[in-house]
mmCIF file of all heavy atoms in Angstrom:
data_model
loop_
_atom_site.group_PDB
_atom_site.id
_atom_site.type_symbol
_atom_site.label_atom_id
_atom_site.label_comp_id
_atom_site.label_asym_id
_atom_site.label_seq_id
_atom_site.Cartn_x
_atom_site.Cartn_y
_atom_site.Cartn_z
ATOM 1 N N TYR A 33 9.237 39.708 -20.681
ATOM 2 C CA TYR A 33 10.451 39.028 -21.105
ATOM 3 C C TYR A 33 10.116 38.033 -22.212
ATOM 4 O O TYR A 33 9.046 37.454 -22.245
ATOM 5 C CB TYR A 33 11.110 38.284 -19.941
ATOM 6 C CG TYR A 33 11.608 39.197 -18.866
ATOM 7 C CD1 TYR A 33 10.941 39.300 -17.658
ATOM 8 C CD2 TYR A 33 12.751 39.958 -19.058
ATOM 9 C CE1 TYR A 33 11.401 40.134 -16.661
ATOM 10 C CE2 TYR A 33 13.221 40.791 -18.069
ATOM 11 C CZ TYR A 33 12.538 40.876 -16.874
ATOM 12 O OH TYR A 33 12.988 41.698 -15.895
ATOM 13 N N SER A 34 11.065 37.836 -23.080
ATOM 14 C CA SER A 34 10.876 36.849 -24.138
ATOM 15 C C SER A 34 11.356 35.494 -23.640
ATOM 16 O O SER A 34 12.512 35.356 -23.235
ATOM 17 C CB SER A 34 11.694 37.259 -25.363
ATOM 18 O OG SER A 34 11.630 36.259 -26.334
ATOM 19 N N PRO A 35 10.473 34.512 -23.649
ATOM 20 C CA PRO A 35 10.912 33.187 -23.196
ATOM 21 C C PRO A 35 11.880 32.579 -24.211
ATOM 22 O O PRO A 35 11.607 32.556 -25.396
ATOM 23 C CB PRO A 35 9.618 32.386 -23.102
ATOM 24 C CG PRO A 35 8.691 33.059 -24.025
ATOM 25 C CD PRO A 35 9.078 34.504 -24.058
ATOM 26 N N ALA A 36 13.009 32.149 -23.718
ATOM 27 C CA ALA A 36 14.004 31.542 -24.599
ATOM 28 C C ALA A 36 13.551 30.142 -24.974
ATOM 29 O O ALA A 36 13.064 29.387 -24.145
ATOM 30 C CB ALA A 36 15.357 31.490 -23.900
ATOM 31 N N ARG A 37 13.692 29.855 -26.217
ATOM 32 C CA ARG A 37 13.360 28.508 -26.690
ATOM 33 C C ARG A 37 14.597 27.948 -27.338
ATOM 34 O O ARG A 37 15.349 28.647 -27.989
ATOM 35 C CB ARG A 37 12.221 28.572 -27.692
ATOM 36 C CG ARG A 37 10.976 29.053 -27.022
ATOM 37 C CD ARG A 37 9.798 28.870 -27.878
ATOM 38 N NE ARG A 37 8.661 29.351 -27.074
ATOM 39 C CZ ARG A 37 7.553 29.754 -27.576
ATOM 40 N NH1 ARG A 37 7.373 29.746 -28.852
ATOM 41 N NH2 ARG A 37 6.583 30.160 -26.789
ATOM 42 N N GLY A 38 14.743 26.699 -27.184
ATOM 43 C CA GLY A 38 15.906 26.066 -27.789
ATOM 44 C C GLY A 38 16.081 24.677 -27.255
ATOM 45 O O GLY A 38 15.417 24.252 -26.306
ATOM 46 N N ILE A 39 16.973 23.969 -27.875
ATOM 47 C CA ILE A 39 17.203 22.577 -27.518
ATOM 48 C C ILE A 39 17.855 22.470 -26.140
ATOM 49 O O ILE A 39 17.549 21.565 -25.378
ATOM 50 C CB ILE A 39 18.028 21.862 -28.608
ATOM 51 C CG1 ILE A 39 18.039 20.360 -28.398
ATOM 52 C CG2 ILE A 39 19.435 22.398 -28.686
ATOM 53 C CD1 ILE A 39 16.756 19.708 -28.741
ATOM 54 N N SER A 40 18.735 23.407 -25.800
ATOM 55 C CA SER A 40 19.434 23.294 -24.519
ATOM 56 C C SER A 40 18.478 23.498 -23.344
ATOM 57 O O SER A 40 18.544 22.772 -22.358
ATOM 58 C CB SER A 40 20.586 24.289 -24.436
ATOM 59 O OG SER A 40 20.097 25.604 -24.498
ATOM 60 N N LEU A 41 17.581 24.479 -23.444
ATOM 61 C CA LEU A 41 16.623 24.690 -22.351
ATOM 62 C C LEU A 41 15.637 23.529 -22.275
ATOM 63 O O LEU A 41 15.308 23.065 -21.190
ATOM 64 C CB LEU A 41 15.870 26.006 -22.541
ATOM 65 C CG LEU A 41 14.843 26.343 -21.461
ATOM 66 C CD1 LEU A 41 15.519 26.481 -20.117
ATOM 67 C CD2 LEU A 41 14.092 27.595 -21.824
ATOM 68 N N GLY A 42 15.196 23.033 -23.421
ATOM 69 C CA GLY A 42 14.265 21.903 -23.433
ATOM 70 C C GLY A 42 14.869 20.653 -22.826
ATOM 71 O O GLY A 42 14.242 19.963 -22.029
ATOM 72 N N ILE A 43 16.114 20.362 -23.186
ATOM 73 C CA ILE A 43 16.795 19.195 -22.623
ATOM 74 C C ILE A 43 17.057 19.411 -21.135
ATOM 75 O O ILE A 43 16.927 18.485 -20.329
ATOM 76 C CB ILE A 43 18.094 18.909 -23.392
ATOM 77 C CG1 ILE A 43 17.757 18.368 -24.777
ATOM 78 C CG2 ILE A 43 18.969 17.914 -22.647
ATOM 79 C CD1 ILE A 43 18.946 18.193 -25.679
ATOM 80 N N GLY A 44 17.409 20.633 -20.761
ATOM 81 C CA GLY A 44 17.640 20.930 -19.343
ATOM 82 C C GLY A 44 16.393 20.720 -18.509
ATOM 83 O O GLY A 44 16.443 20.133 -17.430
ATOM 84 N N ILE A 45 15.243 21.192 -19.009
ATOM 85 C CA ILE A 45 13.991 21.004 -18.277
ATOM 86 C C ILE A 45 13.602 19.530 -18.248
ATOM 87 O O ILE A 45 13.110 19.032 -17.234
ATOM 88 C CB ILE A 45 12.871 21.866 -18.893
ATOM 89 C CG1 ILE A 45 13.194 23.343 -18.727
ATOM 90 C CG2 ILE A 45 11.526 21.539 -18.297
ATOM 91 C CD1 ILE A 45 13.300 23.807 -17.283
ATOM 92 N N GLU A 46 13.846 18.814 -19.339
ATOM 93 C CA GLU A 46 13.529 17.377 -19.364
ATOM 94 C C GLU A 46 14.392 16.617 -18.359
ATOM 95 O O GLU A 46 13.885 15.774 -17.611
ATOM 96 C CB GLU A 46 13.756 16.831 -20.767
ATOM 97 C CG GLU A 46 13.307 15.409 -20.941
ATOM 98 C CD GLU A 46 13.438 14.953 -22.383
ATOM 99 O OE1 GLU A 46 13.224 15.765 -23.291
ATOM 100 O OE2 GLU A 46 13.756 13.766 -22.574
ATOM 101 N N ILE A 47 15.673 16.916 -18.324
ATOM 102 C CA ILE A 47 16.558 16.285 -17.338
ATOM 103 C C ILE A 47 16.130 16.657 -15.927
ATOM 104 O O ILE A 47 16.136 15.822 -15.017
ATOM 105 C CB ILE A 47 18.021 16.681 -17.598
ATOM 106 C CG1 ILE A 47 18.522 16.046 -18.883
ATOM 107 C CG2 ILE A 47 18.923 16.284 -16.432
ATOM 108 C CD1 ILE A 47 19.862 16.561 -19.340
ATOM 109 N N LEU A 48 15.752 17.908 -15.747
ATOM 110 C CA LEU A 48 15.290 18.367 -14.441
ATOM 111 C C LEU A 48 14.053 17.600 -13.988
ATOM 112 O O LEU A 48 13.970 17.146 -12.844
ATOM 113 C CB LEU A 48 14.999 19.863 -14.486
ATOM 114 C CG LEU A 48 14.437 20.486 -13.218
ATOM 115 C CD1 LEU A 48 15.506 20.495 -12.148
ATOM 116 C CD2 LEU A 48 13.938 21.869 -13.506
ATOM 117 N N LEU A 49 13.068 17.421 -14.867
ATOM 118 C CA LEU A 49 11.853 16.705 -14.494
ATOM 119 C C LEU A 49 12.109 15.231 -14.214
ATOM 120 O O LEU A 49 11.557 14.665 -13.263
ATOM 121 C CB LEU A 49 10.792 16.854 -15.584
ATOM 122 C CG LEU A 49 10.128 18.219 -15.661
ATOM 123 C CD1 LEU A 49 9.225 18.289 -16.879
ATOM 124 C CD2 LEU A 49 9.348 18.507 -14.404
ATOM 125 N N ILE A 50 12.962 14.602 -15.017
ATOM 126 C CA ILE A 50 13.283 13.191 -14.780
ATOM 127 C C ILE A 50 14.025 13.026 -13.459
ATOM 128 O O ILE A 50 13.693 12.142 -12.652
ATOM 129 C CB ILE A 50 14.102 12.623 -15.955
ATOM 130 C CG1 ILE A 50 13.210 12.507 -17.201
ATOM 131 C CG2 ILE A 50 14.691 11.256 -15.615
ATOM 132 C CD1 ILE A 50 13.969 12.202 -18.462
ATOM 133 N N SER A 51 15.018 13.874 -13.215
ATOM 134 C CA SER A 51 15.749 13.775 -11.951
ATOM 135 C C SER A 51 14.849 14.117 -10.774
ATOM 136 O O SER A 51 14.945 13.507 -9.707
ATOM 137 C CB SER A 51 16.980 14.671 -11.968
ATOM 138 O OG SER A 51 16.593 16.016 -12.072
#
Side-chain angles (χ1 to χ4, degrees):
Y33 295 106
S34 174
R37 295 192 178 157
I39 192 74
S40 63
L41 180 61
I43 289 174
I45 295 298
E46 187 175 325
I47 291 170
L48 177 69
L49 286 173
I50 290 169
S51 64

